[in-house]
Amino acid sequence: MILEPSVFLGPSIGRLVDSHNNPPLVLIWSLVLRSLITMLILLKPSFLFFCLIVFIRSVISLPENPASNVICTQILPPRDVSRYFGLLGLLRSASKITAPTLGVLVTSSYGESTAIKISILMTLLASMLTVYAFHKYKHHDAHNNINNHKGEETVTSINKTPYSEENRNTNHRILKQLLWTVTTYSFMVFFINNQLPVLLRNSGYSMVLLGVLVTASGSGGILAASYLSRKHRSKHTDTMNPLQATIVSVIVIALCFVALGFTFMLPSSIAPYVATFLFFCTGMFSAIESIRANVVVVQEFPDNAGEVTAKMGSFRSIAMLIAPSIAAIFISHMASMSLLFIVDGGVGLVILIGITIAHMYSSPLKH
């Protein structure tokens, strides 16, 4: 219900965002409408009506990421792209830890309706802050244009290369590699994520370990995003282009999953400590994957960033739909947690090695 709109409508919404002359307006309306449709949940609807609300809310949320990336291509200088997505990743990683905790505290103390109302107010606040930010940006941009009236040109957007058959073929190769990489990542993660509580319980571990592993993963994400968002980064700190960094990050995650498979074969007095470290590593490289994938979209596809972002989200959603079903089949055949991790990471590695070989034999990418 939540993922289907992204699969079937995402690319069309992305193209619509690309063609729209004012992507900030699309982003603002998406936030406002999402808060308004969420209000209907307060009416305590029937189950079918609740499902309809969830579906409509998912459709309304689709323009958010494409519009954000299109805006980046229009207003960010190239040197600031990595830092921007690093900062955005830092905020998202932090919110994934704090928001559920606050939600549980508010719900347990004041009830579900209060938690929903706070969510609605926060979404409306986000829309108002977006309006304010772009009002300030337009004012600042107009001021810069006046100050540069002597003919000096200020670079305020991603450089766009002239269209050619060679560029089109290169972009096609980049897009294929990017989509294979993000789909493989999403498949690996959701092959395990939904099953992890059951797997831990069946293996005799306390649910406290689940909380520790989730926290370790979130902490790794915060650390990686903090590093990529720091203000005074040298241009030479990035030793590989964003697509290579995305592929390498997912390869490391696959290796961590294989290592986790062998970790849970260790004695129960040792395994949780090793698993916590490996989950920290997966969280760290998951953040890098997300940040670098968006950098690839903005830098390599400035003319259709909305469509590519939505297509990337669509492929992620397909993987998220398929992976749990396949994992459930393994579990139904009494597959152990160790075997599940090893199969998951091993299949991911095979795919990623193929992507890497294809990348090595493709033409050089822009840095």
Side-chain angles (χ1 to χ4, degrees):
M1 188 65 68
I2 295 175
L3 298 175
E4 281 83 352
S6 173
V7 174
F8 297 107
L9 300 176
S12 298
I13 296 293
R15 286 191 290 272
L16 181 65
V17 173
D18 283 326
S19 64
H20 200 280
N21 292 327
N22 195 350
L25 188 62
V26 175
L27 178 59
I28 292 163
W29 273 111
S30 175
L31 292 169
V32 171
L33 291 175
R34 186 167 67 182
S35 64
L36 293 177
I37 195 70
T38 305
M39 289 181 186
L40 296 177
I41 297 176
L42 295 173
L43 301 176
K44 297 182 179 179
S46 64
F47 177 72
L48 289 177
F49 188 45
F50 175 80
C51 291
L52 179 63
I53 292 171
V54 171
F55 179 81
I56 295 173
R57 190 176 184 274
S58 298
V59 174
I60 291 171
S61 300
L62 287 178
E64 182 182 338
N65 287 333
S68 297
N69 282 359
V70 171
I71 291 166
C72 289
T73 67
Q74 295 178 350
I75 67 174
L76 280 180
R79 67 180 181 275
D80 289 339
V81 173
S82 291
R83 180 171 176 256
Y84 164 78
F85 281 113
L87 184 59
L88 185 62
L90 174 61
L91 295 173
R92 284 176 172 171
S93 295
S95 66
K96 286 178 182 178
I97 294 176
T98 58
T101 304
L102 291 174
V104 169
L105 290 174
V106 171
T107 301
S108 60
S109 302
Y110 303 102
E112 293 177 358
S113 62
T114 302
I116 294 172
K117 289 174 185 176
I118 291 174
S119 174
I120 293 168
L121 289 174
M122 292 294 288
T123 306
L124 287 173
L125 177 62
S127 66
M128 289 187 286
L129 288 173
T130 305
V131 172
Y132 173 76
F134 281 99
H135 172 74
K136 293 289 288 183
Y137 171 76
K138 286 183 178 181
H139 175 75
H140 181 264
D141 194 43
H143 181 69
N144 281 347
N145 287 337
I146 292 172
N147 288 342
N148 289 291
H149 68 280
K150 292 182 179 180
E152 296 179 0
E153 187 175 340
T154 303
V155 178
T156 58
S157 63
I158 303 298
N159 293 327
K160 299 186 180 184
T161 54
Y163 174 84
S164 69
E165 189 67 25
E166 183 180 354
N167 286 338
R168 189 178 73 173
N169 291 336
T170 300
N171 284 352
H172 181 66
R173 285 195 298 271
I174 294 170
L175 181 59
K176 280 176 59 178
Q177 291 166 350
L178 179 65
L179 291 178
W180 269 106
T181 303
V182 300
T183 304
T184 302
Y185 164 77
S186 296
F187 182 89
M188 286 194 304
V189 170
F190 285 91
F191 189 82
I192 294 294
N193 263 16
N194 293 354
Q195 321 294 335
L196 191 56
V198 176
L199 292 170
L200 289 172
R201 186 187 63 214
N202 291 347
S203 299
Y205 291 101
S206 165
M207 285 298 99
V208 172
L209 178 60
L210 176 64
V212 171
L213 296 179
V214 171
T215 302
S217 177
S219 300
I222 290 174
L223 178 64
S226 299
Y227 174 78
L228 293 174
S229 66
R230 70 192 195 281
K231 188 170 184 178
H232 299 293
R233 294 179 66 225
S234 167
K235 291 191 301 182
H236 304 292
T237 56
D238 296 329
T239 56
M240 58 182 71
N241 66 53
L243 180 57
Q244 288 174 327
T246 306
I247 295 171
V248 169
S249 297
V250 184
I251 289 175
V252 174
I253 292 169
L255 289 171
C256 285
F257 278 14
V258 173
L260 279 163
F262 289 106
T263 294
F264 285 111
M265 295 180 184
L266 297 172
S268 58
S269 59
I270 301 173
Y273 298 100
V274 180
T276 299
F277 171 74
L278 289 171
F279 264 80
F280 178 84
C281 293
T282 60
M284 190 165 57
F285 284 98
S286 292
I288 294 172
E289 182 273 342
S290 176
I291 292 166
R292 292 307 197 190
N294 279 304
V295 172
V296 174
V297 172
V298 171
Q299 290 186 343
E300 302 292 343
F301 304 96
D303 294 317
N304 59 331
E307 181 182 1
V308 173
T309 303
K311 191 172 290 187
M312 191 166 65
S314 176
F315 275 75
R316 287 187 190 273
S317 296
I318 291 171
M320 290 162 64
L321 283 169
I322 295 173
S325 301
I326 298 177
I329 293 172
F330 272 84
I331 293 175
S332 67
H333 286 79
M334 306 302 290
S336 66
M337 180 162 58
S338 292
L339 179 61
L340 215 62
F341 270 109
I342 292 171
V343 169
D344 189 20
V347 171
L349 276 175
V350 170
I351 296 172
L352 291 160
I353 288 170
I355 296 170
T356 304
I357 293 171
H359 177 79
M360 288 170 59
Y361 284 95
S362 65
S363 58
L365 303 180
K366 296 175 287 184
H367 289 269

